[in-house]
Coordinates of all heavy atoms in Angstrom, one line a residue:
M22 N -92.9 -13.5 -99.8 CA -93.4 -14.1 -98.5 C -93.9 -13.0 -97.6 O -93.4 -11.9 -97.7 CB -92.2 -14.8 -97.9 CG -92.0 -16.2 -98.6 SD -90.8 -17.2 -97.7 CE -89.3 -16.4 -98.4
K23 N -94.8 -13.4 -96.8 CA -95.5 -12.4 -96.0 C -95.4 -12.7 -94.5 O -95.4 -13.9 -94.1 CB -97.0 -12.3 -96.3 CG -97.3 -11.5 -97.6 CD -98.8 -11.5 -97.8 CE -99.2 -10.7 -99.1 NZ -99.0 -9.3 -99.0
I24 N -95.5 -11.7 -93.6 CA -95.6 -11.9 -92.2 C -97.1 -11.9 -91.8 O -97.9 -11.1 -92.2 CB -95.0 -10.7 -91.5 CG1 -93.5 -10.7 -91.8 CG2 -95.2 -10.8 -90.0 CD1 -92.8 -9.4 -91.4
I25 N -97.4 -13.0 -91.1 CA -98.8 -13.1 -90.6 C -98.8 -13.1 -89.0 O -97.9 -13.7 -88.4 CB -99.4 -14.5 -91.0 CG1 -99.3 -14.7 -92.5 CG2 -100.9 -14.6 -90.5 CD1 -100.1 -13.8 -93.3
V26 N -99.7 -12.3 -88.4 CA -99.7 -12.1 -87.0 C -101.0 -12.7 -86.5 O -102.1 -12.4 -87.0 CB -99.7 -10.6 -86.6 CG1 -99.7 -10.5 -85.0 CG2 -98.4 -9.9 -87.1
D27 N -100.9 -13.5 -85.4 CA -102.1 -14.0 -84.7 C -102.3 -13.0 -83.6 O -101.7 -13.0 -82.5 CB -101.9 -15.4 -84.2 CG -103.1 -16.0 -83.5 OD1 -104.0 -15.1 -83.1 OD2 -103.2 -17.2 -83.3
R28 N -103.2 -12.1 -83.8 CA -103.5 -11.0 -82.8 C -104.0 -11.5 -81.5 O -103.8 -10.8 -80.5 CB -104.5 -10.0 -83.4 CG -104.0 -9.3 -84.7 CD -103.2 -8.1 -84.4 NE -102.5 -7.6 -85.5 CZ -101.6 -6.6 -85.5 NH1 -101.2 -6.1 -84.4 NH2 -101.0 -6.2 -86.6
D29 N -104.6 -12.7 -81.5 CA -105.1 -13.2 -80.2 C -104.0 -13.7 -79.4 O -104.1 -13.8 -78.1 CB -106.1 -14.4 -80.5 CG -107.4 -13.9 -81.2 OD1 -107.7 -12.7 -81.0 OD2 -108.0 -14.7 -81.9
R30 N -102.8 -14.0 -80.0 CA -101.7 -14.5 -79.2 C -100.7 -13.4 -78.8 O -100.0 -13.5 -77.8 CB -100.9 -15.6 -80.0 CG -101.8 -16.8 -80.3 CD -100.9 -17.8 -81.0 NE -100.0 -18.5 -80.0 CZ -100.3 -19.6 -79.5 NH1 -101.4 -20.3 -79.8 NH2 -99.4 -20.2 -78.6
C31 N -100.7 -12.3 -79.6 CA -99.7 -11.3 -79.3 C -100.0 -10.5 -78.0 O -101.1 -10.0 -77.9 CB -99.6 -10.3 -80.5 SG -98.5 -8.9 -80.2
T32 N -99.0 -10.4 -77.2 CA -99.1 -9.7 -75.9 C -98.3 -8.4 -75.9 O -98.2 -7.8 -74.8 CB -98.8 -10.6 -74.7 OG1 -97.5 -11.1 -74.9 CG2 -99.7 -11.8 -74.6
G33 N -97.7 -8.1 -77.0 CA -97.0 -6.8 -77.1 C -95.7 -6.7 -76.3 O -95.3 -5.6 -75.9
L34 N -95.0 -7.8 -76.2 CA -93.8 -7.8 -75.5 C -92.6 -7.1 -76.2 O -91.7 -6.6 -75.6 CB -93.4 -9.3 -75.2 CG -94.4 -10.0 -74.3 CD1 -94.1 -11.5 -74.3 CD2 -94.3 -9.5 -72.9
G35 N -92.7 -7.1 -77.5 CA -91.7 -6.4 -78.3 C -90.5 -7.1 -78.7 O -89.6 -6.4 -79.3
N36 N -90.4 -8.4 -78.5 CA -89.1 -9.1 -78.9 C -89.0 -9.0 -80.4 O -87.8 -8.8 -80.9 CB -89.2 -10.6 -78.6 CG -89.3 -10.8 -77.1 OD1 -89.8 -10.0 -76.3 ND2 -88.8 -12.0 -76.7
C37 N -90.1 -9.0 -81.1 CA -90.0 -8.9 -82.6 C -89.4 -7.6 -83.0 O -88.5 -7.6 -83.9 CB -91.4 -9.1 -83.2 SG -92.7 -8.0 -82.6
E38 N -89.8 -6.5 -82.4 CA -89.2 -5.2 -82.7 C -87.7 -5.2 -82.4 O -86.9 -4.6 -83.2 CB -89.9 -4.1 -82.0 CG -89.4 -2.7 -82.3 CD -90.1 -1.6 -81.5 OE1 -90.6 -1.9 -80.5 OE2 -90.0 -0.5 -82.0
A39 N -87.3 -5.8 -81.3 CA -85.9 -5.8 -80.9 C -85.1 -6.5 -81.9 O -83.9 -6.2 -82.2 CB -85.8 -6.4 -79.5
L40 N -85.7 -7.6 -82.6 CA -84.9 -8.4 -83.5 C -85.0 -7.9 -84.9 O -84.1 -8.2 -85.7 CB -85.4 -9.9 -83.4 CG -85.1 -10.5 -82.1 CD1 -85.9 -11.8 -81.8 CD2 -83.6 -10.9 -82.0
A41 N -86.1 -7.2 -85.3 CA -86.3 -6.8 -86.7 C -87.1 -5.5 -86.7 O -88.3 -5.5 -87.0 CB -87.0 -7.9 -87.5
A42 N -86.4 -4.4 -86.3 CA -87.1 -3.1 -86.2 C -87.6 -2.5 -87.5 O -88.5 -1.7 -87.5 CB -86.1 -2.1 -85.5
E43 N -87.1 -3.0 -88.6 CA -87.6 -2.5 -89.9 C -89.0 -3.1 -90.2 O -89.7 -2.6 -91.0 CB -86.7 -3.0 -91.0 CG -85.4 -2.2 -91.1 CD -84.5 -2.8 -92.2 OE1 -85.0 -3.1 -93.3 OE2 -83.3 -2.8 -92.0
Y44 N -89.3 -4.2 -89.5 CA -90.6 -4.9 -89.8 C -91.6 -4.7 -88.7 O -92.8 -4.8 -89.0 CB -90.3 -6.4 -90.1 CG -89.6 -6.6 -91.4 CD1 -88.3 -6.5 -91.6 CD2 -90.4 -6.8 -92.5 CE1 -87.6 -6.7 -92.8 CE2 -89.8 -7.0 -93.8 CZ -88.4 -6.9 -93.9 OH -87.8 -7.1 -95.1
F45 N -91.2 -4.5 -87.5 CA -92.2 -4.5 -86.4 C -92.0 -3.3 -85.5 O -90.9 -2.9 -85.2 CB -92.0 -5.8 -85.5 CG -92.1 -7.1 -86.2 CD1 -90.9 -7.7 -86.6 CD2 -93.3 -7.6 -86.5 CE1 -91.0 -8.9 -87.3 CE2 -93.4 -8.8 -87.2 CZ -92.3 -9.5 -87.6
E46 N -93.1 -2.7 -85.1 CA -93.1 -1.6 -84.1 C -94.1 -1.9 -83.0 O -95.3 -2.2 -83.4 CB -93.4 -0.3 -84.9 CG -93.2 0.9 -84.0 CD -93.4 2.2 -84.9 OE1 -94.6 2.5 -85.0 OE2 -92.4 2.7 -85.4
V47 N -93.7 -1.7 -81.8 CA -94.6 -2.0 -80.7 C -94.7 -0.7 -79.9 O -93.7 -0.1 -79.4 CB -94.2 -3.1 -79.8 CG1 -95.1 -3.3 -78.6 CG2 -94.0 -4.4 -80.6
D48 N -96.0 -0.1 -79.7 CA -96.2 1.1 -79.0 C -96.1 0.8 -77.5 O -96.0 -0.3 -77.0 CB -97.7 1.6 -79.2 CG -97.9 2.0 -80.7 OD1 -96.9 2.1 -81.4 OD2 -99.0 2.1 -81.1
E49 N -96.1 2.0 -76.7 CA -96.0 1.8 -75.3 C -97.2 1.0 -74.7 O -97.1 0.4 -73.7 CB -96.0 3.2 -74.6 CG -95.1 4.2 -75.1 CD -95.6 5.0 -76.3 OE1 -96.5 5.8 -76.1 OE2 -95.1 4.8 -77.4
D50 N -98.3 1.1 -75.4 CA -99.5 0.4 -75.0 C -99.5 -1.1 -75.4 O -100.5 -1.8 -75.2 CB -100.8 1.1 -75.4 CG -101.0 1.0 -76.9 OD1 -100.1 0.5 -77.6 OD2 -102.0 1.5 -77.4
G51 N -98.4 -1.5 -76.1 CA -98.3 -2.9 -76.4 C -99.0 -3.3 -77.7 O -99.1 -4.5 -78.0
S52 N -99.3 -2.3 -78.5 CA -100.0 -2.6 -79.8 C -98.9 -2.7 -80.9 O -98.1 -1.9 -81.1 CB -101.1 -1.7 -80.1 OG -100.8 -0.8 -81.1
L53 N -99.0 -3.8 -81.6 CA -98.0 -4.2 -82.6 C -98.5 -3.7 -84.0 O -99.6 -3.9 -84.4 CB -97.8 -5.7 -82.7 CG -97.0 -6.3 -83.8 CD1 -95.6 -5.8 -83.8 CD2 -97.2 -7.8 -83.9
T54 N -97.5 -3.0 -84.7 CA -97.8 -2.6 -86.1 C -96.7 -3.4 -86.9 O -95.5 -3.3 -86.6 CB -97.6 -1.1 -86.3 OG1 -98.5 -0.4 -85.4 CG2 -97.8 -0.7 -87.7
V55 N -97.2 -4.1 -87.9 CA -96.3 -4.7 -88.9 C -96.0 -3.6 -89.9 O -96.8 -3.1 -90.7 CB -96.9 -5.9 -89.6 CG1 -95.9 -6.5 -90.6 CG2 -97.2 -7.0 -88.5
L56 N -94.7 -3.1 -90.0 CA -94.4 -2.0 -90.8 C -94.3 -2.4 -92.3 O -94.6 -1.6 -93.2 CB -93.0 -1.4 -90.4 CG -93.0 -0.9 -88.9 CD1 -91.5 -0.5 -88.6 CD2 -93.9 0.3 -88.7
R57 N -93.8 -3.6 -92.5 CA -93.7 -4.2 -93.9 C -94.2 -5.6 -93.8 O -93.6 -6.4 -93.2 CB -92.3 -4.1 -94.3 CG -91.7 -2.7 -94.4 CD -90.2 -2.7 -94.5 NE -89.8 -3.4 -95.7 CZ -88.5 -3.6 -96.0 NH1 -87.5 -3.3 -95.2 NH2 -88.1 -4.3 -97.1
E58 N -95.3 -5.9 -94.6 CA -95.8 -7.3 -94.6 C -94.9 -8.2 -95.5 O -94.7 -9.3 -95.2 CB -97.2 -7.3 -95.0 CG -98.2 -7.1 -93.9 CD -99.6 -7.4 -94.4 OE1 -99.9 -7.6 -95.6 OE2 -100.5 -7.4 -93.5
D59 N -94.5 -7.6 -96.6 CA -93.8 -8.4 -97.6 C -92.3 -8.4 -97.2 O -91.7 -7.4 -96.9 CB -93.9 -7.8 -99.0 CG -95.4 -7.9 -99.5 OD1 -95.9 -9.1 -99.4 OD2 -95.9 -6.9 -99.9
I60 N -91.7 -9.6 -97.2 CA -90.3 -9.8 -96.7 C -89.4 -9.8 -97.9 O -89.6 -10.6 -98.8 CB -90.2 -11.1 -96.0 CG1 -91.2 -11.2 -94.8 CG2 -88.8 -11.3 -95.4 CD1 -91.4 -12.6 -94.3
D61 N -88.4 -8.9 -97.9 CA -87.3 -8.9 -98.9 C -86.6 -10.2 -98.7 O -86.3 -10.6 -97.6 CB -86.4 -7.7 -98.7 CG -87.0 -6.4 -99.1 OD1 -88.0 -6.4 -99.8 OD2 -86.4 -5.4 -98.7
A62 N -86.1 -10.8 -99.8 CA -85.4 -12.0 -99.7 C -84.1 -11.9 -98.9 O -83.8 -12.8 -98.1 CB -85.0 -12.5 -101.1
A63 N -83.5 -10.7 -98.9 CA -82.3 -10.5 -98.2 C -82.6 -10.4 -96.7 O -81.6 -10.6 -95.8 CB -81.6 -9.2 -98.6
D64 N -83.8 -10.2 -96.3 CA -84.2 -10.0 -94.8 C -84.8 -11.3 -94.3 O -85.2 -11.3 -93.1 CB -85.2 -8.9 -94.7 CG -84.6 -7.5 -95.0 OD1 -83.4 -7.4 -94.9 OD2 -85.4 -6.6 -95.3
L65 N -84.9 -12.3 -95.0 CA -85.6 -13.5 -94.6 C -85.0 -14.1 -93.3 O -85.8 -14.4 -92.3 CB -85.6 -14.6 -95.7 CG -86.4 -15.8 -95.4 CD1 -87.9 -15.5 -95.1 CD2 -86.4 -16.8 -96.5
G66 N -83.7 -14.1 -93.2 CA -83.1 -14.7 -91.9 C -83.4 -13.8 -90.7 O -83.7 -14.3 -89.6
L67 N -83.4 -12.5 -90.9 CA -83.7 -11.6 -89.9 C -85.2 -11.8 -89.4 O -85.4 -11.9 -88.2 CB -83.6 -10.1 -90.4 CG -83.8 -9.0 -89.5 CD1 -82.5 -8.7 -88.7 CD2 -84.2 -7.7 -90.3
V68 N -86.1 -11.9 -90.3 CA -87.5 -12.0 -90.0 C -87.7 -13.4 -89.3 O -88.5 -13.6 -88.4 CB -88.4 -11.8 -91.2 CG1 -89.9 -12.1 -90.8 CG2 -88.3 -10.3 -91.7
E69 N -87.0 -14.4 -89.8 CA -87.2 -15.8 -89.3 C -86.7 -15.8 -87.8 O -87.3 -16.4 -86.9 CB -86.3 -16.8 -90.0 CG -87.0 -17.2 -91.3 CD -86.2 -18.2 -92.2 OE1 -84.9 -18.2 -92.0 OE2 -86.7 -18.8 -93.0
R70 N -85.7 -15.0 -87.5 CA -85.2 -14.9 -86.1 C -86.3 -14.2 -85.2 O -86.5 -14.6 -84.1 CB -83.9 -14.2 -86.0 CG -82.7 -15.1 -86.4 CD -81.4 -14.5 -86.0 NE -81.0 -13.3 -86.8 CZ -80.5 -13.4 -88.1 NH1 -80.3 -14.6 -88.6 NH2 -80.2 -12.3 -88.8
A71 N -86.9 -13.2 -85.8 CA -88.0 -12.5 -85.0 C -89.2 -13.4 -84.8 O -89.7 -13.4 -83.7 CB -88.4 -11.2 -85.8
V72 N -89.5 -14.2 -85.8 CA -90.6 -15.1 -85.7 C -90.3 -16.2 -84.6 O -91.1 -16.5 -83.7 CB -90.9 -15.8 -87.0 CG1 -91.8 -17.0 -86.8 CG2 -91.5 -14.8 -88.0
A73 N -89.0 -16.7 -84.6 CA -88.6 -17.7 -83.6 C -88.5 -17.1 -82.2 O -88.7 -17.8 -81.2 CB -87.3 -18.3 -84.0
G74 N -88.2 -15.8 -82.2 CA -88.0 -15.1 -80.9 C -89.3 -14.6 -80.2 O -89.3 -14.1 -79.1
C75 N -90.4 -14.8 -80.9 CA -91.7 -14.4 -80.3 C -92.1 -15.5 -79.2 O -92.4 -16.6 -79.6 CB -92.8 -14.3 -81.3 SG -94.4 -14.0 -80.5
P76 N -92.2 -15.1 -77.9 CA -92.5 -16.1 -76.9 C -93.9 -16.6 -76.9 O -94.2 -17.6 -76.3 CB -92.2 -15.3 -75.6 CG -92.3 -13.8 -76.0 CD -91.9 -13.7 -77.4
M77 N -94.7 -15.9 -77.6 CA -96.2 -16.3 -77.7 C -96.5 -17.0 -79.0 O -97.6 -17.4 -79.2 CB -97.1 -15.0 -77.6 CG -96.8 -14.1 -76.4 SD -96.9 -15.1 -74.9 CE -98.6 -15.5 -74.9
A78 N -95.5 -17.3 -79.8 CA -95.7 -17.9 -81.1 C -96.8 -17.3 -81.9 O -97.7 -17.9 -82.5 CB -96.0 -19.4 -80.9
A79 N -96.8 -15.9 -81.9 CA -97.8 -15.2 -82.6 C -97.5 -14.8 -84.0 O -98.3 -14.3 -84.7 CB -98.1 -13.9 -81.8
L80 N -96.3 -15.1 -84.4 CA -95.9 -14.8 -85.8 C -95.6 -16.0 -86.6 O -95.1 -17.0 -86.1 CB -94.6 -13.9 -85.7 CG -94.6 -12.6 -84.9 CD1 -93.2 -12.0 -84.8 CD2 -95.6 -11.7 -85.6
R81 N -95.9 -15.8 -87.9 CA -95.5 -16.9 -88.9 C -95.2 -16.2 -90.2 O -95.6 -15.1 -90.5 CB -96.5 -18.0 -88.9 CG -97.8 -17.7 -89.5 CD -98.8 -18.9 -89.4 NE -100.1 -18.5 -89.7 CZ -100.6 -18.4 -91.0 NH1 -99.8 -18.8 -92.0 NH2 -101.8 -18.0 -91.2
I82 N -94.5 -17.0 -91.1 CA -94.2 -16.5 -92.4 C -95.0 -17.4 -93.4 O -95.0 -18.6 -93.3 CB -92.7 -16.6 -92.7 CG1 -91.9 -15.7 -91.8 CG2 -92.4 -16.4 -94.2 CD1 -90.4 -15.9 -91.8
E83 N -95.7 -16.7 -94.3 CA -96.5 -17.4 -95.2 C -95.9 -17.3 -96.6 O -95.5 -16.1 -97.0 CB -97.9 -16.9 -95.3 CG -98.9 -17.7 -96.0 CD -100.3 -17.2 -95.8 OE1 -100.7 -16.3 -96.6 OE2 -101.0 -17.6 -94.9
A84 N -95.7 -18.3 -97.3 CA -95.1 -18.3 -98.7 C -96.0 -17.6 -99.7 O -97.2 -17.6 -99.5 CB -94.8 -19.7 -99.2
Ligands
LIG111 S1 -92.7 -10.7 -80.0 FE1 -94.6 -11.8 -80.4 S2 -95.9 -11.3 -78.6 FE2 -94.2 -9.8 -78.6 S3 -95.0 -8.0 -79.8 FE3 -94.0 -9.4 -81.2 S4 -95.6 -10.7 -82.0 FE4 -96.4 -9.8 -80.2

C-alpha cells in the first residue's frame, strides 16, 4: 500500500509528521516530504492515524 498526497490541499501544518515521523517530514517552509511511500504492514495503523489527522484531507492510502 502506498501514501498518496494531494499537494493542492496540503498546507504544511505538520500533523502527519507529528503522528508518523518515519513517513512524513515537513520543513520550516511548510513543504512536505514523504520519506517512505510504501507502507509496512506493521505501520498501517500508524499511517492511518496520520491520514485521519490531516486537517486538510490531503492524504490517502492507495492499495
Ligand atoms: S497534516 Fe496534511 S496538511 Fe499538514 S503537512 Fe501533513 S499532509 Fe500537509
Side-chain angles (χ1 to χ4, degrees):
M22 285 187 277
K23 283 182 179 287
I24 297 167
I25 308 292
V26 182
D27 183 340
R28 298 273 169 190
D29 291 335
R30 297 185 74 99
C31 175
T32 53
L34 296 168
N36 296 30
C37 53
E38 181 181 21
L40 290 163
E43 285 177 40
Y44 286 86
F45 303 99
E46 186 175 83
V47 181
D48 295 348
E49 310 86 71
D50 67 358
S52 109
L53 168 66
T54 301
V55 178
L56 302 173
R57 298 165 61 185
E58 274 191 351
D59 292 310
I60 306 165
D61 286 347
D64 292 338
L65 185 57
L67 183 83
V68 175
E69 282 177 340
R70 283 193 288 282
V72 168
C75 173
M77 304 307 294
L80 300 174
R81 65 186 169 85
I82 294 170
E83 191 174 87

